[in-house]
Amino acid sequence: MRHRGTALTFRQKFSGKKRLFLSLAELSPSFSSFLALKAMAWLPLWLTVALLISPARSLTCKSQSFTNNRLYSNCLDLPTLSSYLHWTYDSSNSSLTLAFVAPPAKSNGWIAWGLNPTGTGMAGAQSLLAMRTSDGAVVVKTYNISSYSDVVETPKLSLEVWDQSAEYSGGDLRIFAKMKVPKKASSVNYIWQVGSSVTDGRPVKHEFQPPNLNAKGTLSLTGSQTGTTTTAGSGVGSRTKRKNIHGILNAISWGILFPLGAVIARYARSFESADPAWFYLHVFCQISAYAIGVAGWATGLKLGSESKGIQWSSHRNIGIALFSLATVQIFALFLRPKKEHKYRFYWNIYHHGLGYAIIVLGVLNVFKGLNILKPAEKWKSAYIIAIGALGGIALILEAVTWVVVLRRKKSNKSTKPCDGFNNGQATQRPLAI
């Protein structure tokens, strides 16, 4: 009897352990998926830290390098047309050794830079213009712009120029030259411009938008500049830092955290073991995204107020729309009906629709911002990889979730209704909280 009781006790213990193992096996898909989602929630935080501690130099003249070991004492982030100027002033012979970098308005367009010894605008400028020929070569031409209606190529300028050359790299045209300046001059007036096309070897007229009309400044040969200047060994200018911060904050908030919160809401809620933790993760992601996005939006407003005459209308308008929609979405949480309320169905439709609109507009505006700032290609590639990975994970979770839901229906197990639809059967309701 003693042995029999021992055997029964062993069988009971083994049976209990077996049931425990089976229970864990049943929960493992949902539990592992939930852990994966929790790990994903930390991804934007690590990405933010990595971006913030990395040198904010990819959007500045200091990040640029040139062939043939060309080095310059100073560089300037010009305030319009995504252009940059590098130069070294030699007071012994009153000359500038310079490099001008800018993307043409279109791939087959042109760029130009010049000094104006007689005025502050285009008329009177002694200009260097770079363009690509039909065979892909890059050439530099000289133009003495005597008036706005008289733009004619001339072999000789009123200011001596030598060693001029040009190259095409990474979507930018680059002009290199040496140019005499008036003796004992403490500053010189300069202009720059970009155009969209070249016809029969002649540049087609540029646009007359505010960025084009404001493409002029005064270059101090001894002191401060018009724009953001950096000298050898110095850091980036404060305005460029604000541009970098604006881009990072908005890419993290609208471009990553909001989509991540949607993924958590859509897929984690299908697993019973994830309830109610998925809800808190979703709310955490969306509120964090909103707070970071508001900070990025505010830096954008500040940058806009400092850039008189420069407007990126579509980027600005989408940003305003995003802020408005996200504000309505956040405050609508306080009006969320209970699951069994008759108006919950309509609230869910509104919540889902607004959420998807925010995600689409957010990602779109991140790409518009990248096109405006024109950072190094690796940053755009990094964002494409991040959002692509998030989309790939969403596709995998979509398949896993449907398998779980179909198995649950097949086994005729009762489930807790997600939001009161389909007679209590669990359904896929993205962004419903």
Side-chain angles (χ1 to χ4, degrees):
M1 293 294 293
R2 183 178 180 183
H3 292 293
R4 182 180 178 185
T6 303
L8 286 172
T9 303
F10 175 77
R11 284 197 296 271
Q12 289 171 351
K13 290 181 178 180
F14 178 78
S15 177
K17 290 181 179 179
K18 183 178 181 181
R19 285 195 297 271
L20 175 61
F21 292 148
L22 289 174
S23 176
L24 288 173
E26 292 172 354
L27 288 176
S28 61
S30 60
F31 185 68
S32 59
S33 299
F34 178 57
L35 287 178
L37 286 168
K38 289 189 69 176
M40 286 168 58
W42 288 97
L43 177 62
L45 178 60
W46 290 113
L47 183 57
T48 304
V49 172
L51 288 172
L52 288 175
I53 65 176
S54 63
R57 298 175 57 175
S58 61
L59 308 180
T60 71
C61 60
K62 287 295 292 181
S63 68
Q64 297 170 339
S65 59
F66 304 103
T67 57
N68 299 326
N69 294 321
R70 292 185 175 100
L71 298 175
Y72 302 89
S73 300
N74 307 278
C75 70
L76 181 65
D77 300 325
L78 300 178
T80 69
L81 304 177
S82 302
S83 305
Y84 307 89
L85 178 64
H86 302 252
W87 81 95
T88 298
Y89 174 62
D90 186 351
S91 58
S92 63
N93 64 353
S94 300
S95 67
L96 280 177
T97 302
L98 64 96
F100 173 66
V101 182
K106 292 185 179 179
S107 59
N108 61 337
W110 53 269
I111 68 169
W113 185 89
L115 292 178
N116 192 334
T118 60
T120 59
M122 176 178 169
Q126 308 298 296
S127 302
L128 304 170
L129 187 146
M131 64 178 71
R132 300 173 72 185
T133 61
S134 57
D135 59 359
V138 184
V139 297
V140 180
K141 297 186 177 183
T142 52
Y143 286 81
N144 182 352
I145 307 176
S146 57
S147 68
Y148 289 101
S149 59
D150 186 17
V151 181
V152 180
E153 181 182 357
T154 178
K156 188 175 181 180
L157 302 179
S158 64
L159 298 175
E160 184 181 356
V161 180
W162 68 99
D163 290 348
Q164 61 262 42
S165 63
E167 65 182 22
Y168 180 81
S169 176
D172 292 336
L173 283 170
R174 300 176 173 185
I175 298 174
F176 305 98
K178 294 181 180 179
M179 182 177 284
K180 281 280 189 179
V181 299
K183 291 183 178 180
K184 297 183 180 180
S186 60
S187 63
V188 288
N189 298 321
Y190 66 100
I191 64 168
W192 68 97
Q193 198 55 253
V194 300
S196 59
S197 61
V198 176
T199 302
D200 297 329
R202 291 176 55 86
V204 174
K205 186 181 298 185
H206 62 78
E207 294 185 357
F208 288 86
Q209 299 300 318
N212 302 87
L213 299 177
N214 288 311
K216 56 185 178 180
T218 300
L219 185 68
S220 174
L221 302 176
T222 57
S224 61
Q225 311 297 330
T226 301
T228 302
T229 310
T230 57
T231 56
S234 69
V236 298
S238 61
R239 178 175 171 78
T240 301
K241 285 184 178 179
R242 288 198 298 274
K243 287 182 179 180
N244 291 347
I245 292 171
H246 172 72
I248 291 171
L249 291 176
N250 287 305
I252 293 297
S253 59
W254 309 108
I256 294 180
L257 275 177
F258 267 113
L260 177 62
V263 169
I264 291 173
R266 177 168 177 81
Y267 301 111
R269 66 195 302 268
S270 298
F271 304 106
E272 294 178 352
S273 61
D275 192 18
W278 73 264
F279 173 80
Y280 297 113
L281 275 175
H282 172 66
V283 172
F284 170 77
C285 278
Q286 305 309 71
I287 291 180
S288 299
Y290 179 74
I292 297 171
V294 168
W297 185 70
T299 59
L301 292 179
K302 178 64 174 175
L303 288 169
S305 67
E306 295 175 349
S307 306
K308 300 298 184 183
I310 304 173
Q311 294 185 356
W312 305 100
S313 299
S314 60
H315 184 66
R316 179 198 61 190
N317 294 339
I318 292 175
I320 293 173
L322 276 171
F323 172 74
S324 303
L325 293 175
T327 301
V328 172
Q329 185 82 312
I330 292 295
F331 283 98
L333 291 175
F334 300 104
L335 302 176
R336 181 171 63 102
K338 293 183 178 180
K339 292 181 179 180
E340 63 275 7
H341 197 283
K342 63 180 180 179
Y343 291 126
R344 179 61 178 264
F345 172 77
Y346 304 104
W347 188 91
N348 282 339
I349 292 176
Y350 139 78
H351 189 63
H352 301 165
L354 208 60
Y356 280 127
I358 291 171
I359 291 171
V360 172
L361 289 175
V363 173
L364 173 64
N365 219 29
V366 168
F367 281 106
K368 283 187 173 292
L370 288 170
N371 290 334
I372 292 171
L373 289 176
K374 296 185 181 299
E377 191 64 27
K378 64 181 179 180
W379 297 107
K380 187 173 183 178
S381 299
Y383 178 70
I384 292 174
I385 292 172
I387 199 67
L390 189 58
I393 291 171
L395 288 176
I396 294 172
L397 290 175
E398 182 76 20
V400 171
T401 302
W402 277 110
V403 170
V404 171
V405 170
L406 292 175
R407 284 182 178 177
R408 188 178 298 162
K409 288 183 178 180
K410 186 176 181 180
S411 62
N412 294 321
K413 291 182 180 180
S414 60
T415 57
K416 181 179 178 181
C418 291
D419 43 22
F421 293 101
N422 297 336
N423 297 320
Q425 296 298 316
T427 55
Q428 291 288 315
R429 302 288 178 184
L431 292 177
I433 58 175

